[in-house]
Amino acid sequence: MNTSIAWIKAYVPDLNVTAQEYTDALTLSGTKVENYTCLDKNLEKIVVGEILSIERHPDADKLIICQVNVGSETVQIVTGAPNVKVGDKVPVVLDGGKVAGGHDGGPLPEEGIRIKKGKLRGVESCGMMCSIEELGSNREMYPDAPESGIYILPADSVPGADAVELLGLHDVVHEYEITSNRVDCYSVIGIAREAAATFRLPFYPPVVKETGNSEDIHDYLKVRVEDEDLCPRYCARMVKNIKLAPSPEWMKRRLAACGIRPINNLVDITNYVMEEYGQPMHAFDYDTLAGHEIVVKRAKDGDQFQTLDGQMRALDHDVLMINDGEKEVGIAGIMGGENSKITDDVKTMVFEAACFDGTNIRLSAKRLGLRTDASGKFEKGLDPNNAEAAINRACQLIEELGAGEVVGGMIDCYPVKKTEKRIPFSAEKINRLLGTDIDAGTMKDYFKMLDLGFDEETQEVIAPTWRQDLERLADIAEEVARFFGYDKIPTTLPSGEATTGKLSFKLRVEGVAREIAEFCGFSQGMTYSFESPKAFDKLLLPEDSPLRKAITIMNPLGEDFSIMRTTPLNGMLTSLALNYSRRNKNVRLYELANVYLPKALPLTELPDERMQFTLGMYGEGDFFSMKGVVEEFFDKIGMTGKVHYNPDCSHPYLHPGRKAEIIYDGVTVGYLGELHPDCADNYKIGEKVYLAVLDMPNVEKFATFDRKYTGIAKHPAVTRDISMVVPKNVLVGQIEDVIAQRGGKILESYQLFDIYEGSQIVAGFKSVAYSITFRAKDRTLTDEDVNASMKKILNGLKDLGIELRA
Amino acid sequence: MKDQLEKIKREALEKIDASDALDKLNDIRVAYLGKKGELTQVLKSMKDVAPEDRPRVGQMVNDVRTLIEEKLENTRKELARKAREEQLKREVIDVTLPAKKNSVGHSHPNEIALNEVEQIFVGMGYEVIEGPEVEYDEYNFEKLNIPANHPAKDEQDTFYITKDIVLRTQTSPVQARVMEKGKLPIRMISPGRVFRSDEVDATHSPSFHQVEGLVIDKHITFADLKGTLAEFAREMFGEETKVKFRPHHFPFTEPSAEMDVTCFKCGGKGCRFCKGSGWIEILGCGMVHPHVLEMCGIDSEEYSGFAFGVGLERIALLKYEIDDMRLLYENDVRFLKQF
């Protein structure tokens, strides 16, 4: 929403503040001003000049020399403009003055352009005559400006007068961000009312007199609304003997300042009232309406309709249409029809000011792909009582501008009148909500400034129908707060019962995950929750993989963001690939984010959102470095039991010989491995990639921050080393299982210290050496104790086909 | 006897003086004071001394012994000191040689911002509570006073999974979920991912993070909201930070406000960073709408509360002067390592 301050001042004449003061004050009272533009920026020393004589330049065919009366003196100006003649009044920038832009109408330079006395082809030129572009505007806003050349001012302009003033450019255009609850502020009147209240100044809205001749519109026209749910009110008035002409300068300037191009008096009045009252209006050529009748009803599915921009539109049953006795003549609230539009030959017309259902207009405009200024206003949900005020205002302007003869009376289809809302008032409750101590009288003064009524008898605030946002006391409290000043409300801290601040257990475990990952050199990445279904192919997932059962977004930004991820790997690998392509070395990343596993598709209940702790790296390090990170993490969250690694698992994106599921206490808590080289190729990563993914909900089942001290051993330990010849297919994990299961109570720890395959070992075998430590809490172990345990272990190992090395 | 002692004393002291190593001193100790040492031999020959002279001679022997021992000890200390001195000289290093770093990883800037927010509010007694990212329309909209057909529900802004399930557009649905449980008072924050249908560019991302805050208790006022958030701003952006509250509109709060903080680059004087205004818009907030309280089964006559929502990316971008939001989701380690 843009408005000219000159227009606002028409209703708040005492307003006398700078553009910045206005901006700050309105923003603090709730009408946010985004920015403002001074239309006279960089326009300095620009006056009306009268061309007294013109002669040809002796040395340049395209230049002329003008003597120009600028009031106090006559100056000589050389110009190349083709359109000036003797007697013309033109804007002249005097020597040392400034203009806003060049004559080409390109982007305006920040500092403007300084004009100095100089010579053009040897002839002195003192100042410059200006085109509309040089004055910082354009032909859109000044339709009477020539295509190229000097702007010609009205003949009665006085030489030496302020030309900027004459052009209406001493104005400031403010751009507002109006919140969706304040529909009334999408209008000059609405903003002017707020401005008046903000500065505690009187507000003078336009006074609308009765208009129309002695005839009765009902003798000319019938209106019938069939779908009242979509059209709570329809007002129509008529104008005959139309005389099309340009609008007066003041109206053109106000419209131009709002960014609306002046066209002719009829169009301009419609636009003017739309800006002023926030009520869109439409005009039909009466002579095109068959049966001189208007019927408001839904379209039929499959109907086609040509809008006044010449486009054919496909309609459906939910689009509300304006019909005459025979045919459709306009899409209600969106755009009129080609068949009934106002042409230069119009004699009689019908003005429509209606209130249409905002949601219906919004949805229709969207389906039709046709969002207009009018639909943009209607979709916010307009006040039906405003329609009548607006149509009467338009008729008043028709009469004032001499644009036609207004027919007496108004047709008004308004079955259910919208009434004012009454809200019980309590100064005490308002103060209690705000934490203030404002007296009731002050509050009531604020209401008066805002044109809110007050019933002393019932102690109720009466909210006018244009204030649809006021429904209950909290809304009234906001009005009080806005005008008391948010900045004057005290600052306190909540009193009451003390509460304990804390992180959930889940967040604490995640905190440790981050700590360990970062300690181990992994930096935290973040990737999107949605991705392309193509990721499944890149990850080599078979067609029947359950991971392919992903939630689909109905309206994604594109296929690449269309499904909710079921695995965190694509995000991780894409990030690693980006680093690889940028030649970053030794990259380690981790992410803590959810995957989304549907319980059924299509979704009938919320999916299982599972936090995944994903680690990925290339460069230094291998499978076992990754395994180390996992185990460091487990240690730190109290998972000190034996972690099992099962290489017989699926995970097709991992190297078949370098992958494992991570099992803790019988539960699979994640997996790790080297990325399958085919998959690495898919992501164009030319190094070995290692990955680990931990399913945090399962990890959390075992995590604990409880710690208990166990005494530090007092009795000495006994360590035995064994060196074994082991069949190649036996995993070290199996050996460790035997040691752990058979070592008995006195087994303290065991450690692999050598593993070897090669010339001294028979083919199909490997050499493995362990150091096993025994200790008892209560005594010094004897050889017999240790031998007994060792014997059990060795027997167990024998079952795996393991021999002790000689 | 006396001469003999004098000679021993002289010779011993001379030898000690001549020693330049600790092991030599030890040899001297053995040679004079050891079991078979010269002085010990003298002591052993005491039996030949007349009984009346014995105390005097004994005294003389002890004096010599003490003298030698002291001299030995002093020299030992001196030699040890010299040796240490030499060692320290030998061990001088060039401290400007490159450091050997553990390549520790770095937290994401969003995470750092979140941790700061969390610490501040946990310190003020707020609990951190999470909620689902795929959320029912009912919680994301209806219970927050955004009824069906409200323009905010437009598909242009919201990703829909089904008619009734959306990707949450805000962390505010967690408010409704917590209020519904009915355990009062409430002081909580809820961080997390949110989603809006915005194309990716330098200032937009279809997925970003918010932190929602909610306080519900008896007698909570707008003044409390102001005080709490002013305190937050000082902790987050520095002790000198001032705040400004501007009226705004959110469907689920009334009255509502947006909070600006004094620009943390120029301190409010106006700079390129704050586009000359001296202020930076940081969050939206307001008193919980009584209808929202009622929909969650809380008596709006007895209880009131405030809520606020902060965008983490916004804070991270502003605080670290990151000029392109896409950097936050690329995960280039050269970017991440700067935080």
Side-chain angles (χ1 to χ4, degrees):
Chain A
M1 177 82 195
N2 292 353
T3 68
S4 119
I5 196 73
W7 200 348
I8 299 289
K9 281 181 180 172
Y11 312 130
V12 192
D14 302 325
L15 185 64
N16 185 20
V17 291
T18 65
Q20 189 60 50
E21 284 164 354
Y22 180 86
T23 297
D24 293 344
L26 260 80
T27 299
L28 283 182
S29 71
T31 310
K32 188 179 181 188
V33 181
E34 290 273 30
N35 55 54
Y36 61 86
T37 314
C38 297
L39 298 185
D40 55 3
K41 187 181 175 192
N42 289 324
L43 299 183
E44 293 175 15
K45 294 176 82 174
I46 297 173
V47 300
V48 177
E50 179 183 10
I51 299 176
L52 301 177
S53 68
I54 298 178
E55 48 187 308
R56 300 186 59 155
H57 190 291
D59 299 321
D61 288 346
K62 292 197 171 156
L63 295 180
I64 52 173
I65 303 163
C66 305
Q67 300 305 319
V68 184
N69 170 14
V70 293
S72 53
E73 58 180 326
T74 298
V75 296
Q76 174 171 293
I77 297 175
V78 180
T79 180
N83 68 320
V84 289
K85 55 186 195 302
V86 172
D88 279 350
K89 307 281 174 57
V90 294
V92 171
V93 54
L94 301 174
D95 176 35
K98 256 189 188 181
V99 292
H103 61 81
D104 54 355
L108 303 179
E110 184 55 34
E111 296 300 325
I113 299 167
R114 176 83 59 197
I115 301 299
K116 287 202 187 102
K117 192 183 329 194
K119 283 185 176 169
L120 274 112
R121 293 276 183 109
V123 177
E124 183 162 279
S125 180
C126 190
M128 184 180 82
M129 295 185 267
C130 306
S131 69
I132 200 68
E133 287 78 16
E134 283 159 336
L135 295 173
S137 190
N138 56 56
R139 291 188 67 228
E140 280 279 289
M141 300 307 149
Y142 289 83
D144 48 344
E147 196 167 334
S148 74
I150 305 303
Y151 186 82
I152 309 296
L153 295 168
D156 58 356
S157 309
V158 179
D162 182 351
V164 178
E165 170 84 49
L166 204 60
L167 284 162
L169 289 172
H170 283 313
D171 199 356
V172 182
V173 176
H174 292 272
E175 185 189 340
Y176 306 86
E177 183 202 324
I178 305 295
T179 53
S180 61
N181 60 326
R182 288 304 301 274
V183 183
D184 62 304
C185 282
Y186 288 97
S187 72
V188 177
I189 289 181
I191 290 175
R193 184 185 289 115
E194 286 288 325
T198 301
F199 291 102
R200 317 291 202 252
L201 294 172
F203 169 57
Y204 304 98
V207 179
V208 181
K209 312 185 299 289
E210 199 171 315
T211 46
N213 58 19
S214 56
E215 295 175 301
D216 183 358
I217 185 173
H218 294 88
D219 298 334
Y220 284 86
L221 185 73
K222 274 191 294 205
V223 177
R224 185 157 49 89
V225 177
E226 286 190 6
D227 292 288
E228 285 171 359
D229 55 327
L230 300 184
C231 178
R233 188 174 196 184
Y234 194 100
C235 301
R237 295 200 65 179
M238 278 179 59
V239 181
K240 58 186 207 176
N241 301 326
I242 289 169
K243 293 189 256 321
L244 287 181
S247 308
E249 213 45 41
W250 61 267
M251 181 176 277
K252 284 200 243 177
R253 295 289 62 86
R254 287 180 185 178
L255 288 174
C258 299
I260 298 170
R261 189 162 68 97
I263 295 172
N264 62 40
N265 49 7
L266 274 194
V267 178
D268 291 354
I269 286 171
T270 318
N271 284 333
Y272 188 87
V273 173
M274 177 154 91
E275 291 302 305
E276 189 176 45
Y277 280 73
Q279 168 71 48
M281 294 181 39
H282 187 68
F284 300 97
D285 186 334
Y286 176 74
D287 297 321
T288 65
L289 298 178
H292 294 159
E293 188 180 12
I294 283 178
V295 183
V296 185
K297 61 178 186 188
R298 292 167 182 266
K300 286 195 281 294
D301 284 329
D303 279 1
Q304 294 276 323
F305 182 70
Q306 190 177 23
T307 42
L308 54 76
D309 56 1
Q311 298 283 312
M312 289 306 292
R313 309 284 174 179
L315 306 176
D316 59 59
H317 183 66
D318 288 323
V319 178
L320 189 68
M321 298 297 292
I322 311 298
N323 298 255
D324 62 11
E326 293 170 357
K327 59 184 184 298
E328 289 158 334
V329 293
I331 305 177
I334 300 177
M335 193 179 269
E338 179 72 19
N339 56 12
S340 60
K341 75 172 177 187
I342 302 289
T343 62
D344 290 349
D345 304 326
V346 67
K347 306 239 168 8
T348 310
M349 67 162 196
V350 175
F351 256 146
E352 161 202 293
C355 179
F356 300 114
D357 179 75
T359 303
N360 177 265
I361 295 289
R362 180 167 58 89
L363 297 177
S364 293
K366 210 163 93 184
R367 282 200 310 283
L368 293 167
L370 182 62
R371 205 167 175 276
T372 58
D373 284 349
S375 76
K377 301 251 183 203
F378 279 120
E379 69 180 34
K380 295 180 172 75
L382 298 183
D383 172 18
N385 292 335
N386 197 32
E388 181 179 351
I391 203 166
N392 288 335
R393 170 69 168 159
C395 290
Q396 179 187 22
L397 289 169
I398 292 277
E399 289 187 353
E400 280 179 14
L401 268 51
E405 183 184 348
V406 177
V407 174
M410 177 176 83
I411 295 178
D412 189 6
C413 300
Y414 191 18
V416 184
K417 192 166 162 54
K418 185 163 179 170
T419 53
E420 293 163 328
K421 196 162 282 163
R422 301 176 80 92
I423 303 160
F425 170 74
S426 158
E428 191 244 324
K429 281 185 184 171
I430 289 175
N431 279 322
R432 205 164 60 205
L433 183 66
L434 298 179
T436 49
D437 190 17
I438 307 166
D439 66 82
T442 307
M443 293 188 190
K444 287 183 212 167
D445 287 345
Y446 298 150
F447 302 154
K448 198 177 287 171
M449 293 184 331
L450 289 166
D451 287 344
L452 309 184
F454 193 82
D455 186 335
E456 284 292 345
E457 203 166 304
T458 60
Q459 290 290 303
E460 286 171 323
V461 175
I462 304 167
T465 51
W466 72 75
R467 289 300 304 271
Q468 300 172 9
D469 59 311
L470 301 182
E471 291 189 332
R472 49 196 296 170
L473 196 68
D475 303 315
I476 299 298
E478 184 173 69
E479 299 305 289
V480 171
R482 291 199 296 134
F483 289 95
F484 178 70
Y486 275 26
D487 53 332
K488 293 204 196 76
I489 294 174
T491 50
T492 54
L493 287 175
S495 51
E497 203 176 311
T499 48
T500 331
K502 61 182 174 210
L503 294 178
S504 63
F505 181 72
K506 170 178 181 284
L507 289 171
R508 285 177 67 195
V509 175
E510 287 169 23
V512 176
R514 287 201 303 273
E515 212 174 282
I516 293 295
E518 285 167 26
F519 182 78
C520 296
F522 291 77
S523 286
Q524 186 180 19
M526 289 194 181
T527 60
Y528 287 149
S529 307
F530 26 62
E531 57 194 20
S532 166
K534 292 197 189 95
F536 298 140
D537 299 332
K538 283 172 96 175
L539 290 171
L540 314 173
L541 292 180
E543 284 306 320
D544 60 352
S545 167
L547 290 179
R548 283 186 182 260
K549 295 205 170 57
I551 299 163
T552 312
I553 299 171
M554 279 165 68
N555 55 334
L557 280 182
E559 207 207 352
D560 285 352
F561 303 100
S562 61
I563 56 149
M564 299 303 287
R565 62 182 175 190
T566 54
T567 157
L569 290 176
N570 180 58
M572 174 56 69
L573 291 171
T574 305
S575 297
L576 288 175
L578 176 128
N579 279 284
Y580 181 78
S581 73
R582 294 183 180 174
R583 295 170 204 276
N584 294 335
K585 292 202 168 54
N586 297 324
V587 171
R588 293 182 168 201
L589 292 174
Y590 78 96
E591 182 174 23
L592 273 162
N594 284 331
V595 292
Y596 309 83
L597 307 179
K599 289 164 196 157
L601 281 176
L603 227 50
T604 49
E605 56 181 314
L606 297 186
D608 190 8
E609 292 181 15
R610 298 186 79 82
M611 180 60 64
Q612 307 290 294
F613 178 25
T614 310
L615 298 136
M617 66 179 193
Y618 66 76
E620 274 169 26
D622 58 18
F623 181 94
F624 300 101
S625 339
M626 192 56 105
K627 191 172 166 182
V629 180
V630 170
E631 293 189 0
E632 294 268 14
F633 172 53
F634 287 173
D635 276 352
K636 197 83 178 179
I637 51 171
M639 290 169 64
T640 48
K642 170 90 180 148
V643 185
H644 291 272
Y645 295 89
N646 174 20
D648 292 327
C649 54
S650 53
H651 306 293
Y653 32 79
L654 295 180
H655 188 304
R658 296 179 172 189
K659 63 177 178 180
E661 242 156 18
I662 306 166
I663 297 161
Y664 191 87
D665 203 4
V667 176
T668 302
V669 294
Y671 55 88
L672 84 166
E674 182 180 318
L675 185 65
H676 196 296
D678 289 350
C679 194
D681 289 348
N682 289 345
Y683 284 93
K684 299 196 172 62
I685 305 175
E687 287 199 54
K688 286 185 186 302
V689 173
Y690 296 94
L691 296 163
V693 177
L694 295 176
D695 181 56
M696 295 296 271
N698 272 331
V699 170
E700 280 157 35
K701 286 181 194 156
F702 301 106
T704 170
F705 294 107
D706 291 341
R707 297 287 184 271
K708 278 202 184 67
Y709 163 72
T710 50
I712 292 166
K714 292 191 190 84
H715 298 278
V718 178
T719 298
R720 296 281 170 89
D721 291 349
I722 49 169
S723 181
M724 299 163 274
V725 178
V726 178
K728 212 174 159 180
N729 63 344
V730 172
L731 305 178
V732 169
Q734 289 171 280
I735 297 174
E736 293 190 353
D737 286 345
V738 169
I739 298 173
Q741 284 157 17
R742 294 178 169 243
K745 267 192 196 158
I746 59 170
L747 175 71
E748 185 177 74
S749 64
Y750 47 85
Q751 184 148 26
L752 175 77
F753 68 88
D754 187 43
I755 186 157
Y756 173 76
E757 285 174 52
S759 55
Q760 282 110 342
I761 307 295
V762 188
F765 288 85
K766 58 190 171 187
S767 155
V768 177
Y770 264 89
S771 178
I772 307 173
T773 304
F774 300 92
R775 195 197 298 265
K777 277 183 191 162
D778 52 348
R779 65 202 156 95
T780 302
L781 288 175
T782 62
D783 267 357
E784 288 76 49
D785 294 329
V786 177
N787 288 345
S789 286
M790 281 304 289
K791 195 174 173 196
K792 282 186 190 159
I793 291 172
L794 294 177
N795 282 339
L797 292 174
K798 222 171 258 174
D799 296 344
L800 293 172
I802 295 171
E803 299 288 338
L804 282 189
R805 264 185 96 178
Chain B
M1 184 71 106
K2 194 183 167 190
D3 291 347
Q4 197 189 348
L5 281 172
E6 276 300 316
K7 182 169 164 271
I8 288 171
K9 184 172 94 181
R10 196 177 59 244
E11 280 176 9
L13 295 185
E14 272 170 16
K15 282 188 186 160
I16 292 169
D17 274 339
S19 312
D20 56 359
L22 290 171
D23 51 347
K24 283 185 188 159
L25 283 183
N26 207 35
D27 292 347
I28 296 168
R29 176 189 300 276
V30 174
Y32 289 92
L33 309 178
K35 272 184 188 161
K36 290 173 183 166
E38 286 187 42
L39 201 62
T40 319
Q41 294 303 322
V42 174
L43 214 54
K44 281 181 184 162
S45 64
M46 281 287 279
K47 59 182 189 295
D48 303 333
V49 177
E52 64 274 20
D53 291 339
R54 278 183 195 167
R56 195 173 47 85
V57 175
Q59 182 64 43
M60 277 167 57
V61 174
N62 274 337
D63 285 351
V64 172
R65 186 184 181 91
T66 308
L67 199 70
I68 294 172
E69 277 177 346
E70 276 177 6
K71 180 79 176 173
L72 273 171
E73 180 57 19
N74 288 342
T75 310
R76 191 195 61 75
K77 278 188 184 158
E78 178 59 18
L79 285 177
R81 192 186 60 77
K82 276 191 185 150
R84 179 54 54 86
E85 213 165 70
E86 301 256 309
Q87 179 201 353
L88 293 181
K89 270 189 199 145
R90 218 170 39 243
E91 288 176 355
V92 168
I93 55 164
D94 177 355
V95 295
T96 63
L97 286 172
K100 294 173 187 165
K101 285 188 205 164
N102 291 322
S103 47
V104 173
H106 295 253
S107 286
H108 194 280
N110 283 348
E111 186 75 45
I112 299 171
L114 172 60
N115 284 340
E116 286 191 46
V117 176
E118 274 180 357
Q119 268 178 23
I120 295 167
F121 284 104
V122 167
M124 292 199 263
Y126 289 59
E127 198 175 337
V128 183
I129 299 176
E130 294 177 293
E133 295 168 10
V134 180
E135 180 60 283
Y136 290 111
D137 176 285
E138 187 189 354
Y139 284 96
N140 195 69
F141 294 120
E142 306 263 329
K143 295 208 168 190
L144 296 172
N145 222 9
I146 307 170
N149 290 325
H150 193 283
K153 287 184 66 172
D154 217 310
E155 276 178 39
Q156 280 161 1
D157 305 316
T158 309
F159 289 118
Y160 279 85
I161 303 293
T162 68
K163 188 168 64 56
D164 304 317
I165 298 177
V166 301
L167 300 189
R168 65 174 177 189
T169 59
Q170 47 193 356
T171 40
S172 312
V174 188
Q175 275 187 33
R177 286 183 172 271
V178 173
M179 282 192 277
E180 250 182 9
K181 294 210 175 97
K183 205 174 143 272
L184 298 169
I186 297 167
R187 285 185 195 193
M188 66 125 190
I189 59 169
S190 181
R193 282 185 187 221
V194 301
F195 308 88
R196 302 258 174 100
S197 187
D198 284 325
E199 292 285 347
V200 180
D201 66 23
T203 53
H204 292 92
S205 167
S207 158
F208 54 101
H209 296 75
Q210 280 185 346
V211 184
E212 187 79 8
L214 177 71
V215 173
I216 306 278
D217 203 345
K218 292 173 184 167
H219 316 300
I220 296 291
T221 67
F222 194 88
D224 295 335
L225 161 70
K226 279 185 69 182
T228 301
L229 292 177
E231 180 62 28
F232 162 67
R234 279 193 295 273
E235 299 245 355
M236 191 79 196
F237 303 112
E239 202 47 48
E240 301 303 311
T241 308
K242 291 189 187 61
V243 296
K244 182 168 80 179
F245 290 83
R246 288 180 283 104
H248 200 70
H249 169 69
F250 303 106
F252 39 95
T253 51
E254 187 77 29
S256 306
E258 276 186 335
M259 184 177 89
D260 297 343
V261 297
T262 40
C263 176
F264 28 82
K265 295 288 171 245
C266 66
K269 288 192 285 286
C271 65
R272 178 190 61 83
F273 197 67
C274 54
K275 298 193 183 85
S277 72
W279 295 96
I280 289 177
E281 182 183 321
I282 220 76
L283 57 77
C285 56
M287 301 303 291
V288 179
H289 197 292
H291 189 224
V292 171
L293 293 174
E294 287 153 14
M295 280 189 286
C296 294
I298 295 174
D299 181 354
S300 69
E301 289 290 324
E302 189 179 0
Y303 284 93
S304 57
F306 62 78
F308 55 88
V310 197
L312 279 185
E313 275 79 357
R314 179 159 178 80
I315 290 185
L317 293 183
L318 288 169
K319 250 192 132 160
Y320 307 122
E321 297 185 47
I322 301 167
D323 52 10
D324 191 332
M325 198 156 171
R326 285 169 288 206
L327 290 166
L328 294 173
Y329 293 95
E330 267 183 7
N331 306 320
D332 188 322
V333 288
R334 292 168 301 175
F335 170 78
L336 295 172
K337 283 189 171 156
Q338 297 180 29
F339 302 97

